[in-house]
Amino acid sequence: MPDDAARGPRGIVPLGSGVTPQEPEASTEELLALVARGDGEAFEKVYQRLADPVFGLVLQVVRDRAQSEEVAQEVLVEIWRSASRFDAGLGSARAWVLTMARRRAIDRVRAVQAASDRERRVVESSHTVEFDEVAEAVEGKLERRQVRRCLQTLTDVQRESVSLAFYRGYTQKEVAGLLGLPLGTVKTRLRDGLIRLRDCMGVTA
Amino acid sequence: MNAINGSAGNGSAGNGSADVHTLAGGYALDALDANEVAAFEAHLRECAACAVEVAGLRETAAVLGFAVATPAPSAMRARVMAQIARTPQLPPEISSEPQLPAEVSPGPQPRERDESKESGPTAGEGRAPHRIPGRRRSSALNRAFALAAALAVLLTGGLGALGWQRAHTAEEARQQLAQAVSIASDPSAQRQTASVTGGGQVVVVVSDGGAAVLADGLADPGDGKIYQLWINHPGEQNMRSAGLGPAGQAASSNWARLVEGMKPGDAFALSIEPEGGSQAPTTDPVVLVNT
């Protein structure tokens, strides 16, 4: 795959649409290509776009603010360090970064706490992610409304399974244990739920 | 293993919960343990459509991440900037081998992650390593799989830079892609990779069930021009049109087309033609592949 900047926004044009988006600003994919060449200004722009999502996602998983800050900082430095390894042909820049952030956050939680402690802690608290609480932190975002609306189209089990796996970093076995459901049910709900979210978020004008 | 089972636009999980394909959701969310990852990645090697699905679900998950964005502490910015000033960057990976679909997952390699960590252990017990090296497939098959995965990103690209897509566009695109990748993932299909004059590559896949071409990085054909697909049956003198590719800049992003009427042994060609296509090629082919 060519890894040059030419694979920026054009790389995400839907098949057959023949439409090229008019983007006044460089895409994050293009910025990452510049970052890979040591461009500090490009990195600052990437930071502006992604620091809040990275921090918010890490905070969801880790919960502790000070530790979340450490993890988020690690992730942002890692973007700088490994920008050359990003391949726009394999996914968007945001997916690359947020996947990295989630994994680091999950690693941190697992390093800090034995799994049994963590499960007990969560069983004692609420199962579900408080979207209302989160919503107050960042307002006016189209995506937030989209995600919230789309999450409401899921069944309870789909929504809880996806939330626990994504925002809490549980394995599907842990999700099954927490929800008292057969593993097979959780497997299919995770997939069905994500597919429904994908279709919901992808098809709404 | 049924490659079509994982058709990208299909929400059904198959007829049994034991179907390994249902692991796609957990895989996209890194919610599998090591055994499950091994099982699913074995399945992925047979199923390009699954790689497509995983890529799409990962993009979906990224939007879930954006939905919980929280203002980062202002002091963090200065610390990050100070740290990058003294952090060397990794060189690009020099490899002609395209990545396996199992590696569609974004994120750095586990080895690199460890090097970069200031402290702290890696993944806890019970969770799979983030990447497991797979067996190498043939280069053309890798290429086809990597392109199929890239195309999946196009389908969900509305979640990225584009804003939200219209339903019919996404659905048409998904159907076309699903057919192309089910052909591309047929283990008995022939695959050939070829460089295209002017830049880029195509993979031509011919199976008993049909033929497809996957294109990557082709040059913009120019105003009012389009890529046209041609096939030539053995013994016939003239090229037959096998459909049109994208026009303009869309031609230089990843795209796929079914190649109608193509059979093993046929030659495949692409040429640049006036928009609307031609009865016969009016320019020299930019690529010619004998299958």
Side-chain angles (χ1 to χ4, degrees):
Chain A
M1 294 246 160
D3 55 2
D4 55 19
R7 298 179 54 83
R10 281 181 288 123
I12 340 184
V13 173
L15 276 182
S17 75
V19 173
T20 303
Q22 296 303 312
E23 287 206 330
E25 290 186 26
S27 69
T28 310
E29 288 75 16
E30 288 173 322
L31 290 174
L32 277 183
L34 296 173
V35 171
R37 292 174 223 153
D39 185 331
E41 280 180 31
F43 181 78
E44 295 210 22
K45 288 182 187 152
V46 171
Y47 184 97
Q48 278 169 21
R49 290 183 195 186
L50 294 176
D52 292 355
V54 164
F55 181 69
L57 183 53
V58 170
L59 190 61
Q60 279 289 321
V61 177
V62 174
R63 310 305 277 174
D64 178 83
R65 213 178 151 84
Q67 287 195 46
S68 298
E69 196 174 331
E70 281 176 28
V71 173
Q73 188 175 330
E74 267 178 40
V75 170
L76 288 155
V77 172
E78 185 62 27
I79 295 171
W80 165 262
R81 213 176 74 89
S82 57
S84 66
R85 308 295 168 91
F86 169 70
D87 183 343
L90 298 181
S92 68
R94 57 159 43 167
W96 185 68
V97 169
L98 290 186
T99 300
M100 196 181 339
R102 250 187 90 252
R103 288 174 174 174
R104 291 268 171 128
I106 290 167
D107 287 355
R108 173 62 67 103
V109 169
R110 298 209 163 221
V112 169
Q113 284 179 294
S116 57
D117 283 354
R118 200 163 125 259
E119 282 175 28
R120 180 156 27 80
R121 180 173 58 89
V122 172
V123 168
E124 285 163 1
S125 66
S126 169
H127 288 170
T128 49
V129 176
E130 295 297 329
F131 286 97
D132 288 334
E133 164 202 328
V134 172
E136 287 169 14
V138 182
E139 290 183 39
K141 292 245 179 189
L142 170 66
E143 283 175 354
R144 169 178 310 288
R145 292 198 299 272
Q146 283 285 348
V147 168
R148 288 169 54 107
R149 191 178 64 72
C150 290
L151 278 166
Q152 280 162 12
T153 69
L154 304 189
T155 67
D156 289 347
V157 174
Q158 285 175 333
R159 186 168 48 248
E160 280 203 303
S161 300
V162 170
S163 296
L164 284 169
F166 185 77
Y167 292 115
R168 292 286 183 264
Y170 291 123
T171 65
Q172 58 184 20
K173 282 179 181 157
E174 290 169 336
V175 172
L178 281 168
L179 298 180
L181 293 170
L183 179 58
T185 304
V186 170
K187 282 182 195 171
T188 50
R189 292 307 159 256
L190 275 181
R191 175 166 177 260
D192 295 349
L194 274 179
I195 286 171
R196 197 184 280 192
L197 281 175
R198 178 195 70 193
D199 293 345
C200 175
M201 295 193 289
V203 302
T204 308
Chain B
M1 203 123 8
N2 181 359
I4 300 171
N5 190 20
S7 156
N10 184 353
S12 156
N15 50 12
S17 62
D19 183 350
V20 67
H21 194 74
T22 61
L23 291 171
Y27 187 79
L29 293 176
D30 299 307
L32 305 186
D33 67 23
N35 289 337
E36 292 164 334
V37 167
F40 187 71
E41 290 188 345
H43 177 60
L44 267 183
R45 285 191 280 270
E46 312 283 322
C47 177
C50 306
V52 169
E53 181 175 302
V54 167
L57 297 184
R58 277 201 200 284
E59 295 294 326
T60 304
V63 179
L64 291 178
F66 263 73
V68 293
T70 305
S74 50
M76 189 172 93
R77 188 171 174 281
R79 282 201 301 275
V80 168
M81 296 306 162
Q83 205 178 332
I84 67 159
R86 55 176 195 272
T87 302
Q89 294 182 291
L90 293 173
E93 279 173 324
I94 306 298
S95 168
S96 57
E97 285 281 304
Q99 295 190 319
L100 297 167
E103 295 169 333
V104 162
S105 54
Q109 313 259 0
R111 182 172 47 80
E112 294 154 9
R113 300 174 68 253
D114 293 345
E115 287 166 3
S116 73
K117 286 209 165 177
E118 293 169 342
S119 64
T122 54
E125 70 269 23
R127 183 173 293 273
H130 295 151
R131 282 193 192 177
I132 293 179
R135 278 168 286 157
R136 286 282 161 196
R137 279 189 302 267
S138 75
S139 177
L141 182 55
N142 278 337
R143 187 81 205 150
F145 274 40
L147 280 176
L151 288 162
V153 176
L154 311 191
L155 297 184
T156 53
L159 308 180
L162 276 189
W164 314 109
Q165 294 174 11
R166 291 211 175 90
H168 68 273
T169 307
E171 194 46 44
E172 281 168 12
R174 203 169 273 152
Q175 281 173 9
Q176 182 157 179
L177 175 66
Q179 288 179 56
V181 294
S182 68
I183 290 168
S185 59
D186 178 347
S188 66
Q190 295 178 28
R191 295 172 183 77
Q192 285 182 285
T193 305
S195 295
V196 178
T197 306
Q201 281 190 312
V202 292
V203 183
V204 180
V205 187
V206 190
S207 76
D208 294 340
V213 59
L214 309 179
D216 176 37
L218 271 53
D220 184 336
D223 281 349
K225 302 287 177 60
I226 197 165
Y227 283 101
Q228 187 163 3
L229 289 60
W230 305 96
I231 55 173
N232 182 232
H233 296 308
E236 286 188 1
Q237 195 147 23
N238 296 324
M239 289 279 200
R240 301 180 181 202
S241 176
L244 300 176
Q249 281 212 326
S252 52
S253 65
N254 298 311
W255 52 271
R257 289 289 187 274
L258 297 172
V259 187
E260 295 195 7
M262 185 166 179
K263 297 189 176 55
D266 290 352
F268 171 87
L270 273 182
S271 69
I272 294 174
E273 301 295 336
E275 216 158 3
S278 304
Q279 293 293 320
T282 61
T283 61
D284 287 340
V286 290
V287 69
L288 180 63
V289 178
N290 289 303
T291 65

